Amino acid sequence: SQTIHQWPATLVQPVGSPLSLECTVEGTSNPNLYWYRQAAGRGLQLLFYSIGIDQISSEVPQNLSASRPQDRQFILSSKKLLLSDSGFYLCAWRGPGTEAFFGQGTRLTVV
Amino acid sequence: AQSVTQLDSQVPVFEEAPVELRCNYSSSVSVYLFWYVQYPNQGLQLLLKYLSGSTLVKSINGFEAEFNKSQTSFHLRKPSVHISDTAEYFCAVSEGSPGGYNKLIFGAGTRLAVHP
C-alpha cells in the first residue's frame, strides 16, 4: 500500500534562517506531488506541484522553492525565512484519476 | 482556471441536527470534485469524491454530496450530525482535462462546530 512521510512534524526557525522540508512517498511510481500551505484561519494554498522529476510548477510568487530530485521525493526550501512563512505545510501525492493523499503536515513557526 | 468557493467559513449546529456545507466551483471543462476533512493539527482525509457517473456520492459515516453541473455546486450534507463531526471541511476541484488535472485547488474551508 502507498504511504507518505513528511518531516519534521514541528519546526521553530529564526527569521533569515534556511528551510528544508522533505516529503517521500512509498508504494507508487510517478505520482503527482504537491506542497500546500495552510495559514492560521485560512484555507489551503497550493504552492508547488510536480508531475515528474525536475518538473515543478510554482503557483504563487514567494520566498520558497521546491525540488524533486527523485521520483518519490519532494523538497520544500527557502534560503531566508520570513515571519510570513509561518504556517502548516502539507505534502500530498496523487495518482491518475484519483484523490490526493496527504502527509501529517509540518507546523513551521518563524520567530 | 479552476477555483473553489466555500460560502460559509463557520457553521455552528446542534447535535443530531442536519447540516449543509456549501461549495461552488468555477471551471469551463469537466471536473473532479472532492470533500476532505481535517482534525486539529493533522493532515487532510478524503471524505468523498465525484469523478463520474452518479451525481450523488456518499461516505461511510453518513455524509453525502451532490454534483450539480448547472449550478456548478458540490454541497456536502448530513441529516444528523454528531459531536465527533466537529472539524474543518475542505472542498477541492481539479479539471478532467489532461493539462488541468494536475492542479488540485482547495476552497478556504468551513469549520463545522457541533454543540451538545
Side-chain angles (χ1 to χ4, degrees):
Chain A
S1 62
Q2 302 90 354
T3 56
I4 180 169
H5 303 281
Q6 186 181 343
W7 67 91
T10 59
L11 192 59
V12 179
Q13 292 282 101
V15 169
S17 65
L19 173 73
S20 180
L21 301 181
E22 188 164 344
C23 173
T24 60
V25 181
E26 296 177 358
T28 186
S29 59
N30 197 31
N32 278 13
L33 295 173
Y34 302 83
W35 277 112
Y36 291 89
R37 177 171 60 201
Q38 186 176 19
R42 300 175 65 179
L44 270 71
Q45 180 185 36
L46 178 60
L47 302 176
F48 302 94
Y49 68 93
S50 170
I51 61 173
I53 294 174
D54 295 329
Q55 299 180 68
I56 312 292
S57 295
S58 174
E59 287 298 295
V60 182
Q62 60 212 328
N63 186 40
L64 302 169
S65 62
S67 62
R68 185 171 176 175
Q70 301 179 43
D71 180 46
R72 289 170 288 180
Q73 184 185 31
F74 204 24
I75 298 171
L76 182 69
S77 304
S78 173
K79 292 181 179 179
K80 290 185 177 182
L81 284 169
L82 306 173
L83 286 174
S84 57
D85 291 324
S86 292
F88 193 49
Y89 288 82
L90 290 158
C91 179
W93 76 269
R94 189 181 184 205
T98 69
E99 66 271 27
F101 298 89
F102 284 81
Q104 289 300 298
T106 296
R107 174 76 59 193
L108 172 66
T109 304
V110 183
V111 296
Chain B
Q2 67 265 47
S3 66
V4 180
T5 301
Q6 290 184 245
L7 298 166
D8 307 295
S9 60
Q10 296 186 59
V11 174
V13 64
F14 287 108
E15 194 173 17
E16 297 184 3
V19 70
E20 178 181 79
L21 306 184
R22 296 178 292 170
C23 172
N24 286 89
Y25 67 92
S26 173
S27 175
S28 59
V29 298
S30 64
V31 294
Y32 299 140
L33 294 159
F34 308 88
W35 275 101
Y36 283 82
V37 60
Q38 184 184 34
Y39 299 101
N41 294 313
Q42 293 187 24
L44 275 69
Q45 303 170 31
L46 180 72
L47 193 57
L48 42 76
K49 61 184 176 184
Y50 170 79
L51 303 181
S52 64
S54 173
T55 57
L56 182 65
V57 291
K58 300 184 179 184
S59 72
I60 58 174
N61 57 354
F63 284 95
E64 63 180 35
E66 187 160 19
F67 169 54
N68 188 318
K69 186 175 181 179
S70 63
Q71 297 186 9
T72 60
S73 68
F74 191 55
H75 301 332
L76 181 69
R77 302 182 181 94
K78 188 171 185 179
S80 177
V81 295
H82 301 134
I83 295 289
S84 59
D85 293 324
T86 294
E88 185 126 27
Y89 292 80
F90 291 93
C91 182
V93 63
S94 72
E95 292 183 343
S97 62
Y101 167 84
N102 298 320
K103 291 176 61 174
L104 181 60
I105 303 299
F106 283 79
T110 297
R111 174 141 188 83
L112 175 64
V114 181
H115 302 285

